[in-house]
């Protein structure tokens, strides 16, 4: 990436592979015509896989390809009286609300721009935070009945607010893994975008035939679902994108949006189909190029993903493509290239969101290699740009735990869980409690694991495929048979290193180690350096009677990242000692 290019506007032709030192900070957007962009046209384009749409600086009423986007009108999903009551309560009583401005079935979810929906979002967030705090506040020991009541309260809050589809970064623990998001999520959820979505809503009321505006709104809903954990956004996104396609069939922004929506729902075959359709209309669509890489990665087609990343890097170099390019290289074991590309992206990032996102990605990469001081430095940089950026807060807590500072790690992870009670931080916090072992900690840990079960139930109720989360969490802290069932279901859909690892571990905890061996070896066959995978492999090899290979795998896990898990690292050391 060129030294003079911004994270939003990298110069055309400056790729992740080669970056001219004297490049300018300008790059044009790829238009809907599919023609190659012309240097000098400014347009901040956000990626398809998780991003909302390019923030093109057009005045409302222009009828152009989309205004800047922000957080959207937050509606609870229809279908239950409890959800509808919460929505009505928030809209009817919040200051400045407009209870009469709702989203029609055919309007793509454009709600009133008077602030009522924002109040609704705040209300749901407050309930979510309150529910988690009632469960996880220090010193409380909940009995089964109390936990059930809290889980019910959490369910009401989470139904609209806590289903997140994939992790921001990969390999934090053995409990979640997915391709990293493509652009700074915090940028898209910032107050600046709150104002821009209001303008977009007003614009669409004045210009209801603006197909580009509807595509932008659809992508905004998808991004809000990802960053704020709101699955009710997906039907709204689909309505907005469908309307865009009715107004202009086969327009590439809407097709790229459909690719992003399919990926968010973990329909990666559908994501690939829509991305290809979008690229047929516009070969330079950054969103479609990015979604295509995502889909191929999540389908386990790593050779194809690598080729797709090269193509995207040649056509639309920039932060969205660079982060994917780096991740594909990391999956193949090329950590040096992954780090170089991310460092190039960080050196030219100017927005708070891009700095937080890329610095956190570098922190995670360093943590995966056991470089904890380096990881903490990157997380500090991310938090200096945005002190509320959750991936950086979570990553910092993980690095602190790896260095032995359990008190700081627990405080940090509690802060994360209080805001977003999602499976990975819930499991991590539970394991931190178990590792600490103070009076009351075992019950605190069990409470976190119980909330993971509640999250999985809610995810499934909202149409989200949660089998990978179920398999990983249940294998270590739940129903082993359920873990194996979920892992098999996920493996039937896609063959990735993460699904191979999950299936191998689920087979192991069910006593089927011989059957697990080929899967655990497949999980480590690409060269991807993940200590949890190596730990799982060593434990499975030991149980299967291959002591020599077990020692090598366990030693490799601890050499790579000796603090990869509060409980797993301890078990790895114990197993290695026994194997010797």
């Amino acid at each position: 990436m060129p030294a003079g290019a911004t994270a939003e506007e990298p110069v055309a032709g400056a790729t992740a592979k080669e970056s001219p030192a004297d490049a300018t900070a300008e790059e044009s957007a790829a238009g809907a015509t599919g023609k190659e962009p012309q240097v000098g046209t400014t347009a901040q384009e956000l990626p398809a896989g998780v991003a909302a749409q390019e923030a093109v600086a057009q005045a409302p009423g222009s009828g152009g390809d989309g205004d800047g986007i922000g957080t959207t009108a937050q509606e609870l999903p229809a279908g239950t009286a409890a959800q509808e009551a919460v929505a009505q309560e928030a809209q009817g009583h919040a200051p400045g609300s407009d209870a009469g401005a709702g989203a029609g079935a055919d309007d793509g979810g454009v709600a009133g721009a008077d602030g009522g929906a924002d109040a609704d979002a705040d209300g749901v967030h407050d309930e979510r935070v309150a529910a988690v705090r009632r469960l996880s506040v220090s010193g409380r020991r909940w009995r089964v009945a109390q936990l059930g009541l809290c889980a019910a309260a959490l369910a009401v809050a989470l139904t609209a607010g806590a289903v997140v589809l994939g992790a921001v970064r990969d390999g934090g623990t053995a409990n979640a893994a997915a391709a990293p998001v493509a652009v700074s999520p915090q940028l898209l959820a910032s107050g600046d975008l709150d104002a821009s979505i209001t303008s977009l809503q007003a614009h669409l009321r004045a210009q209801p035939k603006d197909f580009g505006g509807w595509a932008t709104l659809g992508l905004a809903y998808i991004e809000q679902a990802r960053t704020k954990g709101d699955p009710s956004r997906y039907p709204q996104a689909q309505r907005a994108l469908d309307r865009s396609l009715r107004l202009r069939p086969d327009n590439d922004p809407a097709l790229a949006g459909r690719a992003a929506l399919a990926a968010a729902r973990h329909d990666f075959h559908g994501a690939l189909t829509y991305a290809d359709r979008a690229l047929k209309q516009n070969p330079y669509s950054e969103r479609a190029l990015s979604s295509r890489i995502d889909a191929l990665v999540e389908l386990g087609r790593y050779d194809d993903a690598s080729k797709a990343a090269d193509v995207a890097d040649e056509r639309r170099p920039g932060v969205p493509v660079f982060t994917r390019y780096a991740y594909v290289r990391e999956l193949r074991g090329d950590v040096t290239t992954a780090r170089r590309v991310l460092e190039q992206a960080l050196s030219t990032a100017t927005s708070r969101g891009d700095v937080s996102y890329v610095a956190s990605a570098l922190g995670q990469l360093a943590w995966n290699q056991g470089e904890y001081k380096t990881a903490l430095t990157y997380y500090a940089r991310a938090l200096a740009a945005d002190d509320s950026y959750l991936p950086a807060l979570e990553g910092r807590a993980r690095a602190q735990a790896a260095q032995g500072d359990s008190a700081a790690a627990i405080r940090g992870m509690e802060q994360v869980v209080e805001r977003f009670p999602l499976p990975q931080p819930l499991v991590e916090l539970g394991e931190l409690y178990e590792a600490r072992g103070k009076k009351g900690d075992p019950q605190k840990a069990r409470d976190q694991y119980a909330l993971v079960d509640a999250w999985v139930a809610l995810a499934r109720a909202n149409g989200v495929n949660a089998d990978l989360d179920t398999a990983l969490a249940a294998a270590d802290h739940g129903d082993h048979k359920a873990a194996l069932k979920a892992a098999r279901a996920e493996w039937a859909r896609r063959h990735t290193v993460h699904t191979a690892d999950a299936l191998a571990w689920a087979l192991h905890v069910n006593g089927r180690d011989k059957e697990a061996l080929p899967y655990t070896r497949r999980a480590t066959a690409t060269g991807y350096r993940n200590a949890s995978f190596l730990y799982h492999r060593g434990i499975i090899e030991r149980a299967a009677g291959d002591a020599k290979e077990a020692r090598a795998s366990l030693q490799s896990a601890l050499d790579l990242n000796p603090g990869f898990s509060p409980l797993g690292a301890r078990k790895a050391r114990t197993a290695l000692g026994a194997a010797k």
Side-chain angles (χ1 to χ4, degrees), residues 404-480:
D405 191 353
S406 62
I410 288 173
R411 285 195 303 270
M413 203 62 74
E414 286 174 341
Q415 181 182 0
V416 171
V417 164
E418 284 176 358
R419 295 178 58 192
F420 286 93
L422 304 172
Q424 182 162 328
L426 284 168
V427 170
E428 289 173 337
L429 181 57
E431 292 188 347
L432 285 169
Y433 286 141
E434 282 197 63
R436 185 174 66 177
K438 289 186 176 181
K439 183 178 180 180
D441 279 346
Q443 183 61 47
K444 289 181 180 180
R446 287 192 291 272
D447 291 345
Q448 309 311 309
Y449 305 146
L451 282 182
V452 174
D453 293 337
W455 181 91
V456 168
L458 291 167
R460 287 174 172 164
N462 282 283
V464 177
N465 169 20
D467 281 333
L468 186 58
D469 298 280
T470 299
L472 292 166
D476 283 324
H477 306 292
D479 185 336
H480 292 172

Side-chain angles (χ1 to χ4, degrees), residues 305-347:
S306 181
K307 294 175 183 176
D310 287 339
V311 169
D313 183 45
E314 291 171 358
R315 294 182 184 175
R316 292 306 302 271
V319 166
V321 171
F322 282 12
T323 51
R324 285 174 167 84
Y325 186 100
Y327 184 66
V328 170
R329 295 304 183 272
E330 184 186 359
L331 284 171
R332 306 308 294 267
D334 188 359
V335 174
T336 300
T337 298
R339 180 182 286 115
R340 175 181 61 78
V341 171
L342 289 174
E343 286 173 346
Q344 287 176 340
L346 182 60
S347 69

Side-chain angles (χ1 to χ4, degrees), residues 174 368-369 497 501 505 520-521 523-525 527-542 549-561 564 568 572 575:
N368 280 342
Q369 313 309 312
V497 293
D501 173 69
W505 195 238
T520 194
R521 287 170 178 166
T524 56
Y528 179 46
R529 294 167 58 80
N530 186 301
S532 290
F533 288 12
L534 291 167
Y535 159 64
H536 288 163
R537 175 171 173 164
I539 294 296
I540 291 168
E541 289 169 336
R542 181 169 177 259
E549 290 294 327
R551 286 194 298 272
S553 296
L554 292 169
Q555 189 65 60
S556 294
L558 293 170
D559 288 345
L560 175 62
N561 186 353
F564 67 88

Side-chain angles (χ1 to χ4, degrees), residues 232-496:
S232 71
R233 285 290 171 258
Y234 297 129
Q236 292 176 288
Q238 185 159 346
R239 288 197 299 270
L241 294 167
D242 286 349
R243 181 156 182 173
S244 176
L245 289 167
R246 286 198 301 272
L247 290 166
R248 180 70 64 87
D250 287 334
N251 75 83
D252 72 269
L255 290 172
R258 290 300 298 268
L261 180 60
R265 287 171 163 167
H266 288 191
D267 174 14
F268 299 111
H269 290 287
L272 183 59
T273 297
Y274 278 113
D276 284 340
R277 285 181 59 186
L279 290 169
K280 186 176 180 179
Q281 301 298 319
N282 177 8
Y284 296 91
S285 168
E286 185 177 62
R287 295 176 301 281
L289 288 165
S290 298
S291 281
R292 191 169 195 277
I293 301 169
D294 290 342
L296 291 168
V297 165
E298 294 298 341
L299 290 170
R301 295 170 55 179
Y302 298 128
D303 288 342
D304 291 335
S306 181
K307 294 175 183 176
D310 287 339
V311 169
D313 183 45
E314 291 171 358
R315 294 182 184 175
R316 292 306 302 271
V319 166
V321 171
F322 282 12
T323 51
R324 285 174 167 84
Y325 186 100
Y327 184 66
V328 170
R329 295 304 183 272
E330 184 186 359
L331 284 171
R332 306 308 294 267
D334 188 359
V335 174
T336 300
T337 298
R339 180 182 286 115
R340 175 181 61 78
V341 171
L342 289 174
E343 286 173 346
Q344 287 176 340
L346 182 60
S347 69
T348 57
T350 57
S351 72
R352 290 190 307 120
D354 280 340
V355 170
S356 294
Y357 170 64
V358 180
S360 293
L362 278 162
Q364 179 63 24
L365 184 65
W367 184 88
N368 280 342
Q369 313 309 312
E371 301 167 2
Y372 306 134
K373 290 183 179 179
T374 301
L376 286 169
T377 298
Y378 282 123
Y379 289 131
R381 184 164 180 181
L383 292 169
D386 183 351
D387 61 7
S388 65
Y389 190 53
L390 285 173
L393 291 170
E394 186 180 347
R396 182 178 67 180
R398 191 178 302 111
Q400 289 168 333
Q403 285 191 322
D405 191 353
S406 62
I410 288 173
R411 285 195 303 270
M413 203 62 74
E414 286 174 341
Q415 181 182 0
V416 171
V417 164
E418 284 176 358
R419 295 178 58 192
F420 286 93
L422 304 172
Q424 182 162 328
L426 284 168
V427 170
E428 289 173 337
L429 181 57
E431 292 188 347
L432 285 169
Y433 286 141
E434 282 197 63
R436 185 174 66 177
K438 289 186 176 181
K439 183 178 180 180
D441 279 346
Q443 183 61 47
K444 289 181 180 180
R446 287 192 291 272
D447 291 345
Q448 309 311 309
Y449 305 146
L451 282 182
V452 174
D453 293 337
W455 181 91
V456 168
L458 291 167
R460 287 174 172 164
N462 282 283
V464 177
N465 169 20
D467 281 333
L468 186 58
D469 298 280
T470 299
L472 292 166
D476 283 324
H477 306 292
D479 185 336
H480 292 172
K481 290 183 179 179
L484 182 55
K485 181 180 178 181
R488 286 196 185 283
E490 192 66 18
W491 181 255
R493 282 186 287 268
R494 53 197 181 111
H495 294 177
T496 71

